[in-house]
Amino acid sequence: MNAAKAFLPAAALLFSGLLVSTTATAADAPRVVVSIKPIHSLVAAVMQGVGTPDLIVDGAASPHTYALKPSNARSLQQAQLVFWVGPGMEAFLQKPLSALGSNATVVELDHAPGITKLKFREGGAFEPHDDGDEHEAEDHDHDHGEFDTHLWLDPHNAKAMVTEITTSLVAADPANALTYETNQKALNDKLDALDTEIASTLAPVKDKPFIVFHDAYQYFEHRYGVRVSGSITVSPETIPGAQRVAEIHSKVAGLGATCVFAEPQFEPKLVNVVLEGTSAKSGVLDPEAATLPQGPDLYFDLMRGIASSLKTCLS
């Protein structure tokens, strides 16, 4: 009994020491802020076991139409590291990053080594990107109006981003370098397996043409050989005119497009107008993960969801 009594203070002291150690580790994790869900998922996967990054564009919001909240501003002011794609995707962040994130290291992932960039498509069933485009009007000093910024929709680009994310985290937090690098290797293996899985899923339907709400899928299309035949609008925040809708309607009918895909954040009535009088079916694609809960698994759920939606509608 005396031995048991003597053990209790020692056990309490040991537990207290472990608690202090755990708390210190959590406190030592760098303050990391990420712009959008797909990128946040990759950062969260690299940071597993160290900390959890903050997310700016949460829930079903879209970076195309987002307005910064006071809580986002506070996160940026406290951040040590900020990850974003770049001004072509998150135009709303340009000025806040200059004003609020001046103490942080800002990592623009569209500049990551090894990233493949594709220029916007123009003409035919794809609207021209002229000087009236919102992204170009935002700041003519950048070239972000020239290429499609949905870079994450190719797992090879995701791997390039993961390398840049890991390098930046190790530089900011060398004490946890081994954890970041171990997570990077595991994540790259998962991305390779995902790439093989999606290619197999889409093989039976990759030759069937379809129309998308906006031209966000070039990277997915080039990676897996699927056939995007046109988009309803080039900018999700801009409603296309009657002539544009009529052109796409004719395209659907003329090509015998199997499916026209809406997106969950935007008004589906346009898709219904385009489908009217054709034999095409409708589906939903979610390139920015509006309907998915944030976290390290989101990227994989996002990519599998796109592949599954395509296969289901095109079959």
Side-chain angles (χ1 to χ4, degrees):
M1 189 71 174
N2 289 338
K5 286 180 179 178
F7 173 75
L8 288 175
L13 184 62
L14 176 62
F15 178 76
S16 174
L18 288 173
L19 186 60
V20 169
S21 173
T22 303
T23 304
T25 301
D28 291 340
R31 291 297 303 266
V32 180
V33 177
V34 189
S35 58
I36 59 175
K37 282 181 171 182
I39 307 305
H40 179 271
S41 178
L42 299 176
V43 176
V46 177
M47 290 187 69
Q48 279 189 306
V50 177
T52 302
D54 291 339
L55 173 63
I56 294 180
V57 185
D58 198 0
S62 167
H64 299 287
T65 55
Y66 194 75
L68 205 69
K69 299 175 183 176
S71 58
N72 302 146
R74 285 193 296 273
S75 292
L76 288 174
Q77 284 180 315
Q78 296 167 2
Q80 293 168 257
L81 268 176
V82 178
F83 293 101
W84 67 325
V85 176
M89 173 55 62
E90 308 98 326
F92 74 93
L93 265 182
Q94 277 188 273
K95 291 177 181 177
L97 280 177
S98 298
L100 301 171
S102 56
N103 295 323
T105 298
V106 178
V107 183
E108 190 173 321
L109 290 171
D110 62 10
H111 291 337
I115 282 278
T116 296
K117 293 182 183 180
L118 300 172
K119 289 195 172 186
F120 281 119
R121 293 181 280 205
E122 298 185 2
F126 296 97
E127 284 188 18
H129 288 247
D130 57 25
D131 287 338
D133 184 274
E134 177 178 338
H135 300 320
E136 289 191 84
E138 189 73 27
D139 185 352
H140 287 281
D141 293 331
H142 292 273
D143 65 351
H144 54 267
E146 297 178 7
F147 67 89
D148 184 346
T149 51
H150 296 82
L151 301 162
W152 62 87
L153 292 178
D154 179 346
H156 284 208
N157 276 350
K159 288 179 70 175
M161 291 181 181
V162 166
T163 298
E164 185 74 358
I165 289 164
T166 304
T167 299
S168 301
L169 285 166
V170 168
D173 182 24
N176 287 304
L178 181 59
T179 301
Y180 297 137
E181 289 163 355
T182 301
N183 288 344
Q184 177 192 12
K185 184 181 184 305
L187 184 54
N188 282 341
D189 289 345
K190 285 182 68 177
L191 288 167
D192 286 338
L194 176 73
D195 189 27
T196 302
E197 176 191 332
I198 291 176
S200 176
T201 297
L202 293 174
V205 297
K206 67 179 186 178
D207 294 326
K208 296 187 177 182
F210 59 96
I211 304 291
V212 294
F213 183 82
H214 82 292
D215 191 18
Y217 305 91
Q218 273 197 91
Y219 296 97
F220 195 93
E221 177 185 356
H222 279 248
R223 185 73 200 140
Y224 300 111
V226 291
R227 290 181 57 194
V228 178
S229 297
S231 61
I232 295 174
T233 180
V234 73
S235 300
E237 65 277 6
T238 303
I239 301 300
Q243 182 180 347
R244 175 66 184 161
V245 173
E247 287 171 1
I248 294 295
H249 187 278
S250 298
K251 185 80 172 178
V252 174
L255 282 175
T258 307
C259 290
V260 178
F261 288 95
E263 293 178 18
Q265 308 99 312
F266 304 108
E267 179 55 59
K269 288 181 181 178
L270 282 173
V271 173
N272 296 332
V273 171
V274 167
L275 283 172
E276 198 172 308
T278 75
S279 60
K281 295 183 290 183
S282 65
V284 176
L285 297 177
D286 188 9
E288 291 153 10
T291 61
L292 299 175
Q294 68 183 64
D297 294 327
L298 174 143
Y299 181 82
F300 298 88
D301 294 338
L302 163 66
M303 295 294 284
R304 288 190 178 106
I306 291 173
S308 176
S309 294
L310 286 171
K311 184 177 182 181
T312 298
C313 195
L314 295 173
S315 294

